[in-house]
C-alpha cells in the first residue's frame, strides 16, 4: 500500500491541541505574589530597605521641615530657612554618624555600650542642675551649647538603653542565666527605671513612654514569661497613672481625645483639633507643597510634633500613606534582621532599635490622628530636632551594619562586579569563570541562609 513499507495502512494520529504557554495559564496574581516573595527573600533586601527607607524619610522630612517652619521663623524675626538650615546641618552630621556606625564591627558596638550609658546618665543629671538645664515648653530636658544650639540628653538615653541592654542580655544568654527571673530583671529594669526617673524629673513623659517600650521590647526578645510582663506592665501603668493624675497638663491632653472643638469645656484642645483640620483639608493629593493654611499660626509645633499634619495638608492622603509605607518597610527590615541572626547581641540591638523607631512613630502619628494623647515626641527622622535626629541615625547605622553582616548578604556584596573594569584592591579584575564561581558560591550561601 502506498505510504507504508509493511503493507499496513498508515496510522492516523490525532492532531494535538495547542497548549497555552505556561505564563498565560498561571494565575497572574499568584505569579506576581511569587515574584514579590522572591524579591523579599533576597539576602540584600533588608539592607536596601533600611538604607533606602531611612534616607527617603530623612530627605522628605527636610522638605517638610522647610515648608512647615517658614512661617514660624518669620514670626520670630528669623530668616525663613533658619530651621531648615539647622536641620540640614544635623542631617549631615547624622549621615556621618550613620556611615561610621554601619562600618563598625559588632565588637566595637558592644564596647561602646557602657561609655554611651555613662555619658547619657551624666548629661541627664546635668540637666537638673540650675543654671545648666534649660526649660522648653515647661519641660527641663535641655542643655544649652551656646547660641541657638541645644541638646536633649534624654534622646541619647534611648540609644544607651538599647546598646547596654543588648550587651547585658547577650552576656547573660551566653552564660545560660536568662532562665532565672533575677538575672533577666536585674540590673536591666533598675537601670531603665533610673533613666526614666531622670527623664521624669524634667517632666518629659513622651520620652519616658518610648524608653518603657524599649524595655518591654528587650524583655520580650529575651523570652520573658507572661507573668513577668504583667508584673512590669502593672508597675509601669500604675506609675503612669499617678503621673497623669498629678499633672493638669497631662489630664487635659487625655481629655482632648476625640475632641471636635478647639475649646472643649474648660480644656483647651486647640492643637489636637487643628491637627485634624489640617489632615481633613488635604484631600487625596493635598493642597500643594508650601500651601498649608494651618501652619500660619493656627497649628502649634507645626514643624516638630505635628509635622505629619502639615504633610497631610500639603501632600494629601498619598503623601501620608507614603510616609507610613516607608516606616512599615523600615520596621519590617529591622524585624527581619533581628529574626535571621544567630548573634544574641545583634538580635537584641536590632529588636530594640526597631521597637524604638516603630513605637515613637506610632505614638506621634496616633496623636496627630487623635487616636492617642499628645505625648510631645517627634516623628523619627522626619520632625525638626537635631537632638533626636543624631542618635536615631546612629541607630539606623547599627541596623545597616547588622544587615550587611548576614552570611548571605556578605556573599552577595562580595560578588559585585567592579564597574568600568577597574581593579579591586588586592587582585586583578575577575574574569568570567571567576565571576561565575563566585555567583555559585553566593547562591549556595543564600540558600543556606534562607534555610
Amino acid at each position: 500500500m502506498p505510504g507504508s513499507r509493511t503493507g499496513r495502512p498508515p496510522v492516523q494520529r490525532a492532531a494535538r491541541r495547542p497548549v497555552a504557554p505556561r505564563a498565560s495559564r498561571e494565575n497572574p496574581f499568584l505569579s506576581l505574589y511569587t515574584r514579590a516573595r522572591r524579591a523579599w527573600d533576597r539576602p540584600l533586601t533588608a539592607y536596601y530597605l533600611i538604607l533606602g527607607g531611612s534616607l527617603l524619610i530623612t530627605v522628605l522630612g527636610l522638605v517638610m521641615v522647610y515648608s512647615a517652619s517658614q512661617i514660624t521663623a518669620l514670626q520670630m524675626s528669623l530668616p525663613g530657612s533658619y530651621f531648615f538650615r539647622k536641620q540640614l546641618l544635623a542631617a549631615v552630621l547624622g549621615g556621618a554618624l550613620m556611615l561610621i556606625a554601619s562600618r563598625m564591627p559588632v565588637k566595637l558596638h558592644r564596647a561602646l555600650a557602657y561609655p554611651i550609658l555613662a555619658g547619657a546618665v551624666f548629661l541627664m543629671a546635668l540637666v537638673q542642675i540650675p543654671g545648666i538645664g534649660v526649660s522648653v515648653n515647661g519641660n527641663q530636658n535641655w542643655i544649652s551649647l551656646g547660641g541657638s544650639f541645644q541638646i536633649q540628653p534624654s534622646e541619647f538615653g534611648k540609644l544607651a538603653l538599647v546598646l547596654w541592654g543588648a550587651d547585658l542580655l547577650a552576656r547573660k544568654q551566653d552564660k545560660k542565666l536568662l532562665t532565672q527571673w533575677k538575672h533577666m530583671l536585674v540590673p536591666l529594669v533598675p537601670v531603665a527605671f533610673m533613666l526614666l526617673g531622670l527623664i521624669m524629673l524634667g517632666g518629659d513623659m513622651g520620652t519616658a513612654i518610648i524608653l518603657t517600650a524599649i524595655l518591654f521590647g528587650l524583655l520580650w526578645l529575651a523570652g520573658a514569661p507572661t507573668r513577668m510582663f504583667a508584673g512590669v506592665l502593672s508597675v509601669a501603668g500604675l506609675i503612669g497613672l499617678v503621673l497623669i493624675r498629678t499633672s493638669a497638663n497631662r489630664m487635659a491632653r487625655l481629655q482632648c481625645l476625640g475632641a471636635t472643638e478647639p475649646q472643649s469645656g474648660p480644656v483647651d484642645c486647640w492643637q489636637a483639633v487643628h491637627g485634624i483640620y489640617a489632615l481633613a483639608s488635604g484631600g487625596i493629593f493635598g493642597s500643594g507643597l508650601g500651601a498649608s493654611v494651618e501652619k500660619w499660626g493656627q497649628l502649634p509645633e507645626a514643624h516638630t510634633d505635628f509635622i505629619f499634619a502639615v504633610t497631610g495638608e500639603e501632600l494629601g492622603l498619598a503623601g501620608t500613606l507614603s510616609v507610613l509605607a516607608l516606616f512599615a518597610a523600615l520596621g519590617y527590615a529591622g524585624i527581619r534582621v533581628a529574626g535571621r541572626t544567630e548573634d544574641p547581641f545583634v538580635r537584641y540591638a536590632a529588636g530594640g532599635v526597631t521597637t524604638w523607631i516603630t513605637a515613637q512613630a506610632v505614638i506621634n502619628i496616633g496623636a496627630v490622628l487623635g487616636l492617642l494623647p499628645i505625648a510631645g515626641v517627634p516623628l523619627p527622622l522626619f520632625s525638626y530636632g537635631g537632638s533626636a535626629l543624631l542618635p536615631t541615625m546612629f541607630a539606623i547605622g547599627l541596623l545597616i551594619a547588622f544587615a550587611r553582616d548576614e552570611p548571605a548578604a556578605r556573599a552577595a556584596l562580595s560578588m559585585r562586579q567592579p564597574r568600568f573594569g577597574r581593579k579591586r584592591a588586592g587582585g586583578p579584575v575577575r574574569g568570567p569563570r571567576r565571576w561565575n564561581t563566585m555567583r555559585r558560591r553566593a547562591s549556595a550561601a543564600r540558600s543556606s541562609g534562607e534555610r
Side-chain angles (χ1 to χ4, degrees), residues 10 22 35 55 63 66 72 86 122 135 164 166 169 216 220 236 273 281 292 318 334 346 396 409 426 433 443 447:
R22 184 177 181 181
R35 290 196 297 268
L55 291 180
V63 174
Y66 180 66
T72 303
K86 291 184 65 176
F122 176 73
S135 178
W164 177 79
L169 293 175
F216 285 148
W220 175 269
V273 172
S281 61
S292 170
V346 173
I396 294 294
R433 294 183 179 178
S443 179
S447 300

Side-chain angles (χ1 to χ4, degrees), residues 64 67-68 270-283 286-288 291-295 298-317 319-320 323 364-370 374 379 382-383:
M64 294 311 304
S67 175
W270 181 275
Q271 187 179 28
V273 172
H274 277 273
I276 299 297
Y277 288 170
L279 290 172
S281 61
S287 58
S292 170
V293 175
E294 291 294 331
K295 68 183 181 183
Q298 283 83 5
L299 182 62
E301 308 297 337
H303 60 298
T304 54
D305 301 344
F306 272 70
I307 194 171
F308 189 76
V310 179
T311 303
E313 185 179 6
E314 295 187 351
L315 303 182
L317 181 64
T320 55
V323 175
N364 177 276
I365 295 174
V368 174
L369 295 176
I374 300 175
L379 190 58
F382 202 84
S383 297

Side-chain angles (χ1 to χ4, degrees), residues 63-117:
V63 174
M64 294 311 304
V65 165
Y66 180 66
S67 175
S69 65
Q70 288 182 352
I71 306 304
T72 303
L74 293 176
Q75 290 174 344
M76 299 171 63
S77 301
L78 297 171
S81 60
Y82 174 78
F83 293 104
F84 168 76
R85 287 181 295 177
K86 291 184 65 176
Q87 186 74 356
L88 180 61
L89 175 61
V92 172
L93 295 177
L97 288 177
M98 184 177 71
L99 179 61
I100 293 173
S102 66
R103 297 294 179 176
M104 290 169 53
V106 175
K107 291 183 178 180
L108 185 54
H109 286 303
R110 299 187 67 168
L112 290 176
Y114 284 85
I116 292 178
L117 177 65

